[in-house]
Amino acid sequence: MRLPFLPLAAITAAITFSAAPDPLRVMRAGPLDSAAPTDTLLITFDRPVAGLLDNGVDPASIVRITPALHGRYEWRDPVTLRVVPTAPLPRGQRYSVVVPTDFRAMDGSSLSTPYTFSFRIRGPTLIGSY
């Protein structure tokens, strides 16, 4: 007995299971360049990383900030990580942010290279004079 669809099924299975997902990408990150002392840091990926907002991937393990930024690390939604400072950040301080490659999105993909950016906390702004 001949099974005419067996070769087609084998090819389809090979293509389906051998195709690796495209690398994960950071779509947006900020603040860029300068920020207010109370600004929230946001990093948005191109696909879900956190399946459950309460018990999913620990957001503090996804981002490294130098010097250490004390705040709430949380998922706004499955693709957006945010860091909310617990106190106003010191004016003039420069922060470097690295999103490393050592974590996986829900589809198994990861960043192909670390994503980095930096920002500086703005000093006082003159709003008028007399």
Side-chain angles (χ1 to χ4, degrees):
M1 179 167 95
R2 208 165 157 228
L3 299 173
F5 297 108
L6 189 57
L8 180 59
I11 292 170
T12 303
I15 291 171
T16 303
F17 293 111
S18 67
D22 290 334
L24 180 67
R25 293 184 312 147
V26 173
M27 299 300 290
R28 283 184 295 280
L32 295 176
D33 299 328
S34 68
T38 56
D39 279 355
T40 298
L41 181 121
L42 292 172
I43 300 169
T44 303
F45 298 96
D46 69 340
R47 66 195 76 168
V49 175
L52 301 170
L53 299 182
D54 294 337
N55 287 342
V57 177
D58 178 18
S61 70
I62 303 265
V63 62
R64 297 185 183 119
I65 304 171
T66 307
L69 193 153
H70 301 287
R72 279 189 343 261
Y73 289 68
E74 61 192 15
W75 291 102
R76 185 182 77 181
D77 54 56
V79 298
T80 306
L81 181 150
R82 71 177 162 194
V83 180
V84 181
T86 52
L89 301 175
R91 294 180 184 278
Q93 180 69 54
R94 177 164 289 283
Y95 290 91
S96 297
V97 181
V98 176
V99 182
T101 61
D102 61 357
F103 69 95
R104 301 238 177 254
M106 290 182 62
D107 67 354
S109 62
S110 62
L111 293 171
S112 57
T113 59
Y115 184 86
T116 62
F117 67 99
S118 63
F119 62 95
R120 185 178 155 277
I121 305 302
R122 288 189 298 268
T125 303
L126 178 65
I127 56 173
S129 66
Y130 180 73

Coordinates of all heavy atoms in Angstrom, one line a residue, residues 3-56:
L3 N 1.5 5.4 0.4 CA 1.0 6.6 1.1 C 1.4 7.8 0.3 O 2.6 8.2 0.5 CB 1.4 6.6 2.5 CG 1.0 5.4 3.4 CD1 1.7 5.5 4.7 CD2 -0.5 5.4 3.5
P4 N 0.6 8.4 -0.6 CA 1.1 9.4 -1.4 C 1.4 10.7 -0.7 O 2.2 11.5 -1.2 CB -0.1 9.7 -2.4 CG -1.3 9.2 -1.6 CD -0.8 8.0 -0.8
F5 N 0.9 10.9 0.5 CA 1.1 12.2 1.2 C 2.3 12.1 2.2 O 2.6 13.1 2.8 CB -0.2 12.7 1.9 CG -1.3 13.0 0.9 CD1 -2.4 12.1 0.8 CD2 -1.2 14.1 0.1 CE1 -3.4 12.4 -0.1 CE2 -2.2 14.4 -0.8 CZ -3.3 13.5 -0.9
L6 N 2.8 10.9 2.4 CA 3.9 10.8 3.4 C 5.1 11.7 3.1 O 5.6 12.3 4.0 CB 4.3 9.3 3.5 CG 5.2 9.0 4.6 CD1 4.6 9.4 6.0 CD2 5.5 7.5 4.7
P7 N 5.6 11.7 1.8 CA 6.8 12.5 1.6 C 6.5 14.0 1.8 O 7.3 14.8 2.3 CB 7.1 12.3 0.1 CG 6.5 11.0 -0.2 CD 5.3 10.8 0.7
L8 N 5.3 14.5 1.4 CA 4.9 15.9 1.7 C 4.8 16.2 3.1 O 5.3 17.2 3.6 CB 3.5 16.1 1.0 CG 3.0 17.6 1.1 CD1 4.0 18.5 0.5 CD2 1.6 17.7 0.5
A9 N 4.3 15.2 3.9 CA 4.2 15.5 5.4 C 5.6 15.5 6.0 O 5.8 16.3 6.9 CB 3.4 14.3 6.0
A10 N 6.5 14.7 5.5 CA 7.9 14.7 6.0 C 8.6 16.0 5.7 O 9.3 16.6 6.6 CB 8.7 13.5 5.5
I11 N 8.4 16.5 4.5 CA 9.0 17.8 4.1 C 8.4 19.0 4.9 O 9.1 19.8 5.5 CB 8.8 18.1 2.6 CG1 9.7 17.1 1.8 CG2 9.2 19.5 2.2 CD1 9.4 17.1 0.3
T12 N 7.1 19.0 5.1 CA 6.4 20.0 5.9 C 6.9 20.0 7.3 O 7.2 21.0 7.9 CB 4.9 19.8 5.9 OG1 4.5 19.9 4.5 CG2 4.2 20.9 6.6
A13 N 7.0 18.8 7.9 CA 7.5 18.7 9.3 C 9.0 19.2 9.4 O 9.3 19.9 10.4 CB 7.4 17.3 9.8
A14 N 9.8 18.9 8.5 CA 11.2 19.3 8.5 C 11.3 20.8 8.4 O 12.1 21.4 9.2 CB 12.0 18.6 7.4
I15 N 10.5 21.4 7.6 CA 10.6 22.9 7.4 C 10.0 23.5 8.7 O 10.6 24.5 9.2 CB 9.8 23.3 6.2 CG1 10.5 22.9 4.9 CG2 9.5 24.8 6.2 CD1 9.7 23.1 3.7
T16 N 8.9 23.0 9.2 CA 8.3 23.6 10.4 C 9.2 23.5 11.6 O 9.3 24.5 12.4 CB 6.9 22.9 10.7 OG1 6.1 23.0 9.5 CG2 6.2 23.5 11.9
F17 N 9.8 22.4 11.9 CA 10.6 22.2 13.1 C 12.0 22.7 13.0 O 12.7 22.9 14.0 CB 10.5 20.8 13.6 CG 9.1 20.4 14.0 CD1 8.4 19.5 13.3 CD2 8.6 21.0 15.1 CE1 7.1 19.2 13.7 CE2 7.3 20.6 15.6 CZ 6.6 19.7 14.8
S18 N 12.5 22.9 11.8 CA 13.9 23.3 11.6 C 14.1 24.8 11.5 O 15.2 25.4 11.7 CB 14.6 22.7 10.4 OG 14.0 23.2 9.2
A19 N 13.0 25.5 11.3 CA 13.1 27.0 11.1 C 13.2 27.7 12.5 O 12.3 27.5 13.3 CB 11.8 27.5 10.4
A20 N 14.3 28.3 12.7 CA 14.5 29.0 14.0 C 13.8 30.4 13.9 O 13.7 31.0 12.8 CB 16.0 29.2 14.2
P21 N 13.3 30.9 15.0 CA 12.6 32.2 14.9 C 13.6 33.3 14.6 O 14.8 33.1 14.9 CB 12.0 32.3 16.3 CG 12.8 31.4 17.2 CD 13.3 30.3 16.3
D22 N 13.1 34.3 14.0 CA 14.0 35.5 13.8 C 14.5 36.0 15.1 O 13.8 35.9 16.1 CB 13.2 36.6 13.1 CG 12.9 36.2 11.6 OD1 13.6 35.4 11.0 OD2 11.9 36.7 11.1
P23 N 15.7 36.7 15.1 CA 16.2 37.2 16.4 C 15.2 38.3 17.0 O 14.5 39.0 16.3 CB 17.5 37.9 16.0 CG 17.9 37.3 14.7 CD 16.6 36.9 14.0
L24 N 15.1 38.3 18.3 CA 14.4 39.3 19.0 C 15.0 40.6 18.8 O 16.2 40.8 18.6 CB 14.4 38.9 20.5 CG 13.7 39.8 21.5 CD1 12.2 39.7 21.3 CD2 14.0 39.4 22.9
R25 N 14.1 41.7 18.7 CA 14.6 43.0 18.5 C 14.0 44.0 19.5 O 12.9 43.8 20.0 CB 14.3 43.5 17.1 CG 15.0 42.8 16.0 CD 14.7 43.3 14.6 NE 13.3 43.5 14.4 CZ 12.8 44.5 13.7 NH1 13.5 45.4 13.1 NH2 11.5 44.6 13.5
V26 N 14.8 45.0 19.9 CA 14.2 46.1 20.7 C 13.7 47.1 19.7 O 14.4 47.6 18.8 CB 15.3 46.8 21.6 CG1 14.8 48.0 22.2 CG2 15.8 45.8 22.6
M27 N 12.4 47.4 19.8 CA 11.7 48.4 18.9 C 11.9 49.8 19.3 O 12.2 50.7 18.5 CB 10.2 48.1 18.8 CG 10.0 46.7 18.2 SD 10.6 46.4 16.6 CE 9.6 47.5 15.6
R28 N 11.8 50.1 20.6 CA 11.9 51.4 21.2 C 12.6 51.3 22.5 O 12.4 50.3 23.3 CB 10.6 52.1 21.3 CG 10.0 52.6 20.1 CD 8.7 53.3 20.4 NE 7.6 52.5 21.0 CZ 6.8 51.7 20.2 NH1 7.0 51.6 18.9 NH2 5.9 51.0 20.8
A29 N 13.3 52.3 22.9 CA 13.9 52.4 24.2 C 14.0 53.9 24.6 O 14.3 54.7 23.7 CB 15.2 51.7 24.3
G30 N 13.9 54.1 25.8 CA 14.1 55.5 26.2 C 14.0 55.7 27.7 O 13.6 54.8 28.4
P31 N 14.4 56.8 28.2 CA 14.6 58.0 27.4 C 16.0 58.0 26.7 O 16.9 57.2 27.1 CB 14.7 59.1 28.5 CG 15.0 58.4 29.8 CD 14.5 57.0 29.6
L32 N 16.1 58.7 25.7 CA 17.3 58.8 24.9 C 17.9 60.2 25.1 O 17.2 61.2 25.2 CB 17.1 58.6 23.4 CG 16.6 57.2 23.0 CD1 16.3 57.1 21.6 CD2 17.6 56.1 23.4
D33 N 19.2 60.2 25.2 CA 20.0 61.5 25.4 C 19.7 62.1 26.8 O 20.6 62.1 27.6 CB 19.7 62.5 24.3 CG 20.1 61.9 22.9 OD1 21.0 61.2 22.9 OD2 19.4 62.3 22.0
S34 N 18.6 62.7 27.0 CA 18.3 63.4 28.3 C 17.0 63.0 28.8 O 16.0 62.7 28.1 CB 18.5 64.9 28.2 OG 17.5 65.4 27.4
A35 N 16.8 63.2 30.2 CA 15.6 62.8 30.8 C 15.4 63.7 32.0 O 16.3 64.3 32.6 CB 15.6 61.3 31.3
A36 N 14.1 63.8 32.4 CA 13.8 64.5 33.7 C 14.1 63.6 34.9 O 14.1 62.3 34.7 CB 12.3 64.9 33.7
P37 N 14.3 64.1 36.1 CA 14.6 63.2 37.2 C 13.5 62.2 37.5 O 13.8 61.2 38.2 CB 14.8 64.2 38.4 CG 15.1 65.5 37.7 CD 14.4 65.5 36.4
T38 N 12.3 62.4 37.1 CA 11.2 61.5 37.4 C 10.8 60.6 36.2 O 9.8 59.9 36.3 CB 10.0 62.2 38.0 OG1 9.6 63.2 37.0 CG2 10.4 62.9 39.3
D39 N 11.5 60.7 35.1 CA 11.0 60.0 33.9 C 11.1 58.4 34.1 O 12.0 58.0 34.9 CB 11.9 60.3 32.7 CG 11.5 61.6 32.0 OD1 10.5 62.2 32.4 OD2 12.2 62.0 31.1
T40 N 10.2 57.7 33.4 CA 10.2 56.3 33.5 C 11.0 55.7 32.3 O 10.9 56.2 31.2 CB 8.8 55.8 33.4 OG1 8.1 56.2 34.5 CG2 8.7 54.3 33.3
L41 N 11.8 54.7 32.6 CA 12.6 54.1 31.5 C 11.7 53.0 30.9 O 11.1 52.2 31.6 CB 13.8 53.4 32.1 CG 14.7 52.7 31.1 CD1 16.1 53.4 31.2 CD2 14.8 51.3 31.5
L42 N 11.6 53.0 29.5 CA 10.8 52.0 28.8 C 11.7 51.3 27.8 O 12.5 51.9 27.1 CB 9.7 52.7 28.1 CG 8.6 53.3 28.9 CD1 7.6 54.1 28.1 CD2 7.8 52.2 29.7
I43 N 11.5 50.0 27.6 CA 12.1 49.2 26.6 C 11.0 48.3 26.0 O 10.4 47.5 26.7 CB 13.2 48.3 27.2 CG1 14.3 49.2 27.8 CG2 13.8 47.4 26.1 CD1 15.3 48.4 28.6
T44 N 10.8 48.4 24.7 CA 9.7 47.7 24.0 C 10.4 46.7 23.0 O 11.2 47.2 22.1 CB 8.8 48.7 23.3 OG1 8.2 49.6 24.2 CG2 7.6 47.9 22.6
F45 N 10.0 45.5 23.1 CA 10.5 44.4 22.2 C 9.5 44.2 21.0 O 8.3 44.7 21.1 CB 10.7 43.1 23.0 CG 11.7 43.3 24.1 CD1 11.3 43.5 25.4 CD2 13.0 43.1 23.8 CE1 12.2 43.6 26.4 CE2 14.0 43.3 24.8 CZ 13.6 43.5 26.1
D46 N 9.9 43.5 20.0 CA 9.1 43.3 18.8 C 8.1 42.1 19.0 O 7.3 41.8 18.1 CB 9.9 43.1 17.6 CG 10.7 41.9 17.5 OD1 11.0 41.3 18.6 OD2 11.1 41.5 16.4
R47 N 8.2 41.4 20.1 CA 7.3 40.2 20.4 C 7.3 40.0 21.9 O 8.1 40.5 22.6 CB 7.8 39.0 19.6 CG 9.1 38.5 20.1 CD 9.7 37.5 19.1 NE 10.2 38.3 18.0 CZ 11.0 37.8 17.1 NH1 11.3 36.5 17.1 NH2 11.5 38.6 16.2
P48 N 6.3 39.2 22.3 CA 6.1 39.0 23.8 C 7.3 38.4 24.4 O 7.9 37.4 23.9 CB 4.9 38.2 23.9 CG 4.1 38.4 22.7 CD 5.2 38.7 21.6
V49 N 7.8 38.9 25.6 CA 8.8 38.3 26.4 C 8.2 37.8 27.7 O 8.5 36.7 28.1 CB 9.9 39.4 26.7 CG1 10.9 38.8 27.7 CG2 10.6 39.8 25.4
A50 N 7.3 38.5 28.2 CA 6.6 38.1 29.5 C 5.2 37.6 29.2 O 4.4 38.3 28.7 CB 6.5 39.3 30.4
G51 N 5.0 36.3 29.4 CA 3.7 35.7 29.2 C 2.7 36.1 30.2 O 1.6 36.4 30.0
L52 N 3.2 36.1 31.5 CA 2.3 36.5 32.6 C 2.9 37.7 33.2 O 4.1 37.7 33.6 CB 2.3 35.4 33.7 CG 1.7 34.0 33.2 CD1 2.0 33.0 34.2 CD2 0.3 34.1 32.8
L53 N 2.1 38.8 33.4 CA 2.7 40.0 33.9 C 3.0 39.9 35.4 O 3.9 40.6 35.9 CB 1.7 41.2 33.7 CG 1.3 41.4 32.2 CD1 0.4 42.6 32.1 CD2 2.6 41.7 31.4
D54 N 2.4 39.0 36.1 CA 2.6 38.9 37.6 C 3.7 37.9 37.9 O 4.6 38.1 38.7 CB 1.4 38.5 38.3 CG 0.3 39.6 38.3 OD1 0.7 40.7 38.1 OD2 -0.9 39.2 38.4
N55 N 3.7 36.7 37.2 CA 4.7 35.6 37.5 C 5.5 35.2 36.4 O 6.1 34.1 36.4 CB 3.9 34.4 38.0 CG 3.4 34.6 39.4 OD1 3.8 35.5 40.1 ND2 2.4 33.8 39.8
G56 N 5.7 36.1 35.4 CA 6.5 35.7 34.2 C 8.0 35.9 34.4 O 8.5 35.7 35.5

